[in-house]
């Protein structure tokens, strides 16, 4: 958020733990660290890792070179498996081994940017108006540099760690998620001792410069993309038949689009609504405080489900996005297809849901097929060292602000890591005006304020220290 203002630079706000007692440590000068981080982030944003094709190897070499100057070894991994110009990256800052490791995970790739629609070159790393500009500043190269500088700051200050701090940077999160999948498959030894993982997700609510709640994501919806195919008899368009597959697919898509899937309130979602209720007034506060009861009332139900995000975290969603028929106007094709962006609640059974989709379509000539890349189901528990640390550190940095546990409607690499037994959480280091974030992530003029960079450093250094 651009009106964040200065953060008081008191080392205690970094969340020093009892394990620091008597240690020969140095205070962290967050103002100096912030200024250095601005320069490093600007350089990192200049590396064009648009996916496709990715070019993450150059980003990984940048991270490796920077850490080498700090005496931290980094490994370039999986270049052959991921293809030309692509790579994963791994580094570790050793603790005393008395507790299991903590991993900070980023992805190095970014979505395409249209230069004509930006105020600056999206790969210039421009610093102006109190912001660092560039594709990836929010999603998620900016956060990746916060991870990097957190590791460096802790090493420079000589802060003792009970947990090893692991830094992982993956390729190809934005398209297929192959970077994380390959890393987990090929390097189980590198993450065998990792207990907790923090990456993107858990967006906070900032309205008109005011932080309403701070998000720690403990789950995300499961992308279960489907292709539906209607078959018929091909012929010339000048002679209509009842066996035209195009109307069949159109009817199937219309039925799916109109389908109101059942509403369910998961425990983490209930807690999220209770936190969100604190920023509301009157009946809206009452409705969110007891969302299960509110959903039984038509008026409050309409208000709750009228918001796209609230609707998405309360039910499985079905969104038609792609249609294919004949390649020419005068041809009745042998088949027609549609692709459906299905997002399932974490505990949903895919086979059961597929049967329900088929029932709603109600046409034996329409078949369903799950598209490749279905992520495993994922959710993380509340009340762990990560959520306790977030409450502790935020309580110092932003007293009185509630912690919310949003369910992410989009997809990240968290499920890939969670299937190994790691408890994975989404925590963003920045407090960006929510309307700006919505416009800039995957949009135009993506940028992050220098004040936010300072806050992010204090937050993440604090989180790591509080977990020792």
């Amino acid at each position: 958020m651009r009106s964040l203002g200065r953060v008081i630079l008191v080392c205690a706000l970094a969340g020093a733990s009892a394990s620091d007692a008597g240690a020969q440590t140095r205070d962290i000068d967050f103002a100096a660290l912030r200024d250095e981080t601005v320069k490093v982030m600007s350089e990192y944003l200049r590396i064009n890792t648009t996916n496709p094709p990715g070019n993450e190897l150059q980003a990984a070499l940048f991270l490796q070179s920077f850490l080498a100057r700090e005496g931290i070894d980094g490994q370039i991994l999986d270049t052959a498996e991921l293809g030309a110009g692509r790579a994963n990256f791994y580094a570790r800052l050793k603790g005393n081994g008395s507790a299991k490791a903590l991993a900070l995970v980023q992805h190095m790739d970014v979505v395409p940017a249209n230069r004509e629609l930006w105020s600056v070159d999206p790969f210039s790393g421009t610093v102006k108006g109190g912001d660092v500009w560039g594709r990836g500043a929010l999603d998620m190269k900016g956060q990746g540099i916060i991870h990097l500088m957190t590791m460096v700051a802790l090493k420079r200050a000589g802060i003792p760690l009970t947990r090893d701090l692991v830094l992982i940077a993956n390729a190809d999160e934005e398209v297929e998620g192959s970077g994380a999948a390959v890393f987990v498959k090929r390097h189980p030894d590198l993450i065998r001792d990792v207990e907790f993982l923090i990456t993107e997700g858990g967006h906070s609510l900032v309205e008109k410069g005011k932080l309403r709640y701070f998000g720690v994501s403990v789950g995300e919806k499961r992308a279960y993309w489907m292709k539906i195919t209607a078959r018929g008899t091909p012929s010339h368009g000048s002679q209509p038949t009842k066996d035209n597959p195009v109307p069949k697919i159109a009817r199937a898509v219309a039925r799916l689009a109109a389908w109101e899937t059942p509403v369910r309130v998961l425990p983490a979602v209930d807690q999220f609504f209770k936190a969100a209720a604190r920023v509301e007034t009157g009946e809206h506060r009452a409705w969110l405080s007891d969302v299960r009861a509110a959903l039984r009332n038509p008026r409050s139900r309409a208000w709750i489900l009228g918001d796209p995000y609230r609707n998405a975290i309360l039910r499985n969603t079905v969104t038609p996005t792609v249609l294919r028929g004949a390649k020419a106007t005068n041809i009745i094709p042998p088949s027609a297809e549609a692709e459906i962006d299905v997002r399932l609640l974490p505990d949903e059974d895919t086979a059961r849901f597929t049967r329900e989709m088929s029932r709603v379509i109600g046409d034996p000539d329409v078949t369903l097929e799950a598209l490749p890349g279905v992520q495993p189901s994922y959710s993380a528990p509340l009340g762990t060292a990560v959520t306790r640390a977030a409450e502790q550190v935020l309580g110092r940095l932003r007293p009185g602000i509630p912690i919310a546990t949003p369910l992410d409607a989009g997809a990240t690499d968290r499920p890939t890591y969670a299937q190994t037994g790691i408890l994975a959480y989404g925590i963003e280091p920045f407090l960006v005006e929510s309307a700006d974030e919505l416009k800039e992530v995957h949009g135009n003029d993506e940028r992050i304020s220098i004040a936010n960079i300072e806050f992010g450093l204090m937050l993440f250094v604090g989180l790591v220290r509080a977990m020792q």
Side-chain angles (χ1 to χ4, degrees), residues 18-26 157-160:
S19 64
D20 297 331
Q24 295 299 311
T25 63
R26 294 176 293 279
I159 293 172

Side-chain angles (χ1 to χ4, degrees), residues 368-452:
L368 287 74
E369 174 190 355
L371 294 171
V374 178
Q375 289 276 43
S377 181
Y378 149 73
S379 62
L382 305 172
T384 66
V386 171
T387 57
R388 291 193 299 270
E391 291 171 352
Q392 176 184 334
V393 177
L394 188 72
R396 292 170 175 159
L397 294 174
R398 290 290 184 273
I401 299 299
I403 296 281
T405 53
L407 179 68
D408 287 342
T412 72
D413 284 332
R414 276 180 283 161
T416 301
Y417 286 97
Q419 66 181 324
T420 70
I422 296 172
L423 301 181
Y425 295 85
I427 300 179
E428 300 282 348
F430 307 131
L431 305 179
V432 180
E433 189 75 27
S434 296
D436 292 339
E437 185 176 33
L438 189 64
K439 289 186 298 184
E440 294 170 18
V441 172
H442 291 202
N444 304 318
D445 286 344
E446 187 178 354
R447 58 197 186 270
I448 189 63
S449 72
I450 294 171
N452 251 313

